[in-house]
Amino acid sequence: LTRMQSTRLLQTDSMGFRRLCILKGIYPRAIGQSKQKLSGNDKQYYLAKEIKWLVRDHIQERVQAYTSWEKKVRRAKALQLKADLDLLESKKVKPQYQLAATIKERYPYFIDAVKDVDDAMSMIGLYAFLTPEIKSESTIDFHKALPSGLHDKAQDVVKQWMAYVARSQSLTRSFISVKGYYYEAVIKGERIRWLMPHEYASKFPTGIQQYILITFLEFYIEMMRFVLFKLNGDLDKELEELERQEEDNANAESFKAGALDGDKKAFSKLEAMDRELSRIRKLFNGFTFFISREIPNKHAAMIITACGGRVVETMNPSVTHCVIDRPQLPPGMTKHSNVEYIQPQYIFDCLNARAVLPVNGYRMGESLPPHVSPFTVSISGLPEDNAAIEEAKKLHPKVIGYIPERVHEIRKFLDPTYSHIDPDNKITELDGELSDDEHAMAPEMDDADIVSLSGDELEDATKQTEWEDEHVLENVERSKLSAYQVKKQRELNLMNAPTREDVALRRQQKAKATEDSKKSETREGRIKRKLAQKSKDDAATKKMQLQVARKKAAKFYSMVNSTVQGNKKKEAILASKAKALQKGNTFVEGNKTIVSKKDRAHQDSIKARVEKRGEEFDEKRKKAPNPYQKLPKWVR
């Protein structure tokens, strides 16, 4: 059905139909080329089954009741019936609809709703800090701007969500950008990423149909209320069970954490997430933070609480870190020697690095180091972080894999044996595969081994052939220069000739110098050499694979070429026969056999001579065998 047919069937306008589709999750369908579009290619089409479901839907019935209610209100205003108008505008009489059944229909399983939290929280976070323009608690009537009722609900949902993330300690990454604060949390085995805007005075841009976004906002708010109710209930049960286990065995939790740290085998996705969260939840244990008033308190407090730290509202002796974003302390605030005065970026960088970083460069008034996004590169270099980045690259292939210098510094701080030359730690794999004694390379050809070629041979060997002259060969051949050199060595009998003493001595000195350089090289030099050898071996492997693929392609090419050439020959034969028939040189007999007139005349003459001798002519007689047919060609 087209959109116009659907609106007529539902007896609503385009705005009402669009709201129904957004709330019920119905989208236009792309019709394939096999199905004919009777109404044209420039229209939107919907499944007839989905549209028919909306005819008796609860939301559609309430919307139609609201249309009738509006007529009654207009009549009461026209007749100035104040009592009837007050009764109609009361909450008991004014029609409203609920989205509980719709949410249960769209999300039959709880994990399905969790996967949509990222879009929901980004939308709710955007409207939570905007200023409402209409005072209204109802959502059944269309609003061209943000109503106050939805704005209050959006703020409540944002507070509850950030409180849950901090309480459950499920935050994994965060990044400050021009657009706002990017966050990532692990909820029920799913990575949820959402964006919270910077809180500053703003105005909604003109030219945007806000009623569409407000419909999405209305649905997302109801969905998040369901999700938060379920998540908080599950978290309360988990905390009660954890407290019960701690009472039974005080060392249960520490034993579990030690088992996770000691496990260095390959772990599954859920185990990697648990390992990642176990590192973050104890990051700020024992630290107490005081947040200055110029810093957005809810963002800093959520990260500190999720990392195991404690936030206080007043400066007291227990404070270990003071988060401040000023070049110097404000008047009336004294500086204590036992307190670190840090800038807010320090909290974000510690969370992304999975460790408490040195405060050098983050103190009050100092120029900050670069703030690296943890969504494009693994800052800590841990296996679970690398796995998360690889998973993100599969979903987003355009993610840049560049590693900034600041990431190398953090990794060097976490692991003193880290080298920026080998960021992926490939040298540990090469230690078991390649050693200095194994894979001994054959002595390279030097000046004594290279034979001199003539000018014509050098010109022919270095000649660059055009692409039209190239042919696909089944067997891989040598280059012309190498072929000429091997041919020359064979002609001069140098292939098996003994090596001269001076050449052998030079090679021995070269091998000894190479061995001495390997002994005296640094760790970085050794890593560079082994990585170069690894890349060389990989290139050789790729070349061998290319040669095998080329050989297969040559066989396929010859097979296809033989078929094409055979078809061309058949076409040429048929064309020549048709031309002969057109000229009259041949004719067709009764059994559809093409016979040449010349051959027929010759056969008739032979038949006449045979009948003249009084013998019987046999048309099917065979020609006498050639006695020389079985002899070799050179004898014949």
Side-chain angles (χ1 to χ4, degrees):
L1 298 176
T2 62
R3 188 175 67 176
M4 184 60 66
Q5 293 171 343
S6 303
T7 54
R8 289 174 181 173
L9 180 62
L10 297 174
Q11 298 180 5
T12 182
D13 56 354
S14 60
M15 295 174 62
F17 176 71
R18 189 170 294 177
R19 176 171 65 177
L20 271 176
C21 291
I22 292 172
L23 295 178
K24 303 298 291 186
I26 297 175
Y27 301 94
R29 304 288 179 165
I31 299 181
Q33 295 181 357
S34 59
K35 296 183 180 180
Q36 184 180 5
K37 296 182 179 180
L38 300 178
S39 301
N41 297 327
D42 56 342
K43 297 184 179 181
Q44 296 178 356
Y45 291 85
Y46 297 85
L47 286 181
K49 184 186 295 185
E50 294 179 346
I51 301 301
K52 289 177 182 179
W53 282 343
L54 296 179
V55 176
R56 299 298 181 187
D57 188 71
H58 164 71
I59 298 178
Q60 175 63 11
E61 292 178 354
R62 302 309 297 167
V63 169
Q64 292 178 353
Y66 179 75
T67 306
S68 302
W69 176 85
E70 282 184 327
K71 294 180 181 179
K72 295 178 182 179
V73 170
R74 286 197 297 267
R75 178 180 177 275
K77 287 182 179 179
L79 297 178
Q80 296 182 358
L81 302 176
K82 187 176 181 182
D84 294 348
L85 189 61
D86 294 340
L87 179 63
L88 288 172
E89 291 181 350
S90 62
K91 292 183 178 180
K92 293 182 179 181
V93 179
K94 186 177 180 179
Q96 297 289 342
Y97 60 79
Q98 302 294 331
L99 297 177
T102 303
I103 292 172
K104 292 179 181 178
E105 288 177 3
R106 291 188 59 176
Y107 303 108
Y109 298 100
F110 179 65
I111 192 64
D112 298 332
V114 173
K115 292 179 181 179
D116 280 356
V117 169
D118 47 3
D119 292 336
M121 283 310 304
S122 298
M123 175 70 74
I124 296 172
L126 171 64
Y127 276 95
F129 88 100
L130 291 177
T131 305
E133 301 178 19
I134 300 175
K135 185 177 181 181
S136 175
E137 299 292 334
S138 174
T139 56
I140 195 171
D141 42 353
F142 284 101
H143 297 296
K144 298 298 182 66
L146 178 63
S148 58
L150 280 181
H151 177 259
D152 296 339
K153 291 180 181 179
Q155 287 186 333
D156 293 340
V157 169
V158 169
K159 290 179 182 178
Q160 293 178 22
W161 172 255
M162 298 186 74
Y164 169 77
V165 172
R167 185 179 168 213
S168 61
Q169 295 183 329
S170 55
L171 192 66
T172 55
R173 289 177 178 85
S174 183
F175 177 66
I176 310 173
S177 76
V178 179
K179 295 182 179 181
Y181 300 88
Y182 286 90
Y183 292 110
E184 182 191 79
V186 175
I187 309 294
K188 300 293 182 181
E190 296 290 336
R191 293 188 180 274
I192 309 299
R193 300 181 181 93
W194 73 97
L195 172 64
M196 298 293 293
H198 294 289
E199 297 183 0
Y200 55 86
S202 61
K203 187 178 181 180
F204 203 89
T206 58
I208 298 177
Q209 295 179 344
Q210 285 202 53
Y211 76 93
I212 298 177
L213 299 178
I214 289 172
T215 305
F216 276 104
L217 177 66
E218 177 188 358
F219 175 79
Y220 283 147
I221 286 176
E222 294 299 323
M223 186 201 74
M224 284 304 301
R225 292 176 66 183
F226 274 79
V227 171
L228 286 170
F229 179 81
K230 172 70 173 173
L231 290 176
N232 286 320
D234 293 347
L235 181 60
D236 292 337
K237 292 179 181 178
E238 292 176 4
L239 294 177
E240 290 178 2
E241 185 178 356
L242 185 60
E243 291 178 359
R244 194 180 305 110
Q245 290 180 358
E246 288 179 353
E247 291 177 359
D248 297 340
N249 185 6
N251 298 325
E253 185 67 21
S254 60
F255 175 78
K256 181 179 179 181
L260 281 173
D261 292 338
D263 185 14
K264 294 185 179 181
K265 297 180 180 180
F267 38 77
S268 63
K269 181 180 177 181
L270 293 177
E271 291 174 344
M273 290 180 179
D274 292 340
R275 188 184 182 100
E276 185 178 5
L277 291 175
S278 65
R279 296 178 184 273
I280 297 173
R281 288 169 178 169
K282 300 180 179 180
L283 192 61
F284 291 152
N285 274 1
F287 293 161
T288 304
F289 291 82
F290 171 74
I291 303 174
S292 184
R293 62 183 181 181
E294 69 273 3
I295 297 174
N297 188 279
K298 62 180 183 181
H299 298 285
M302 182 182 69
I303 297 177
I304 293 170
T305 309
C307 295
R310 191 167 65 95
V311 179
V312 295
E313 298 181 356
T314 58
M315 199 72 178
N316 54 56
S318 65
V319 174
T320 58
H321 294 76
C322 177
V323 185
I324 189 169
D325 198 9
R326 300 186 183 189
Q328 57 185 359
L329 292 178
M333 190 174 180
T334 58
K335 189 173 183 179
H336 301 276
S337 59
N338 59 341
V339 178
E340 292 288 352
Y341 294 86
I342 56 175
Q343 300 185 46
Q345 182 183 328
Y346 177 78
I347 303 172
F348 291 83
D349 288 352
C350 288
L351 170 66
N352 299 330
R354 313 295 190 249
V356 180
L357 300 176
V359 295
N360 297 330
Y362 295 97
R363 289 191 176 95
M364 178 179 57
E366 296 182 356
S367 58
L368 291 169
H371 186 46
V372 184
S373 171
F375 299 100
T376 58
V377 63
S378 174
I379 296 179
S380 63
L382 298 172
E384 53 269 17
D385 289 347
N386 296 337
I389 295 299
E390 291 299 327
E391 182 181 356
K393 287 182 178 180
K394 291 179 182 179
L395 299 176
H396 306 281
K398 293 185 178 180
V399 172
I400 302 174
Y402 167 69
I403 302 179
E405 188 64 28
R406 176 58 181 167
V407 176
H408 293 307
E409 296 176 2
I410 295 176
R411 291 182 180 180
K412 188 72 174 178
F413 169 74
L414 299 177
D415 184 11
T417 61
Y418 172 80
S419 175
H420 67 279
I421 302 175
D422 183 26
D424 297 331
N425 202 17
K426 293 181 179 179
I427 196 64
T428 56
E429 303 175 3
L430 298 178
D431 284 339
E433 299 177 3
L434 300 176
S435 62
D436 295 338
D437 299 331
E438 296 177 350
H439 304 283
M441 299 294 293
E444 298 181 358
M445 295 180 65
D446 51 11
D447 297 337
D449 298 322
I450 299 176
V451 295
S452 59
L453 301 177
S454 63
D456 296 338
E457 292 173 341
L458 286 174
E459 183 180 359
D460 187 27
T462 56
K463 179 182 178 182
Q464 296 291 336
T465 59
E466 297 181 358
W467 66 272
E468 293 89 349
D469 300 332
E470 295 183 359
H471 300 283
V472 179
L473 303 177
E474 184 173 352
N475 297 322
V476 181
E477 296 182 355
R478 289 176 177 268
S479 63
K480 287 189 177 181
L481 183 62
S482 177
Y484 277 128
Q485 288 182 350
V486 171
K487 181 180 177 182
K488 196 79 171 179
Q489 288 178 349
R490 285 175 178 171
E491 290 177 356
L492 299 176
N493 197 17
L494 298 176
M495 299 294 290
N496 298 322
T499 307
R500 301 198 308 268
E501 292 185 3
D502 56 341
V503 175
L505 182 61
R506 186 165 65 250
R507 289 178 177 173
Q508 186 177 3
Q509 292 176 352
K510 186 176 180 180
K512 187 176 180 182
T514 304
E515 186 178 357
D516 293 342
S517 65
K518 288 181 180 178
K519 291 180 180 179
S520 60
E521 66 183 353
T522 60
R523 183 176 181 273
E524 293 185 356
R526 178 173 174 270
I527 292 175
K528 283 184 179 180
R529 177 173 55 82
K530 291 211 169 187
L531 290 178
Q533 179 64 27
K534 176 67 174 176
S535 61
K536 192 175 181 180
D537 293 346
D538 293 341
T541 304
K542 289 182 180 179
K543 184 178 179 180
M544 181 184 66
Q545 293 174 352
L546 181 62
Q547 290 176 351
V548 173
R550 186 179 181 184
K551 197 170 185 180
K552 292 181 179 179
K555 288 183 178 180
F556 179 75
Y557 172 78
S558 61
M559 179 184 68
V560 174
N561 188 41
S562 62
T563 305
V564 172
Q565 295 300 330
N567 293 335
K568 288 183 179 180
K569 288 182 180 179
K570 290 180 181 179
E571 290 178 1
I573 292 172
L574 292 175
S576 64
K577 287 182 179 180
K579 190 175 181 180
L581 284 172
Q582 188 178 4
K583 289 182 178 181
N585 297 332
T586 59
F587 64 94
V588 181
E589 287 187 346
N591 56 356
K592 298 183 180 180
T593 303
I594 297 176
V595 181
S596 173
K597 289 184 177 181
K598 187 177 180 181
D599 295 343
R600 175 58 67 185
H602 179 66
Q603 190 175 6
D604 291 343
S605 65
I606 294 174
K607 184 179 180 180
R609 288 197 302 267
V610 171
E611 290 178 351
K612 189 176 182 180
R613 291 196 301 265
E615 299 177 359
E616 185 178 358
F617 179 75
D618 186 10
E619 293 183 358
K620 297 183 179 180
R621 66 188 181 90
K622 294 183 179 180
K623 191 177 180 180
N626 186 4
Y628 300 101
Q629 188 70 32
K630 295 184 179 181
L631 296 177
K633 288 184 178 181
W634 63 274
V635 174
R636 284 185 280 166

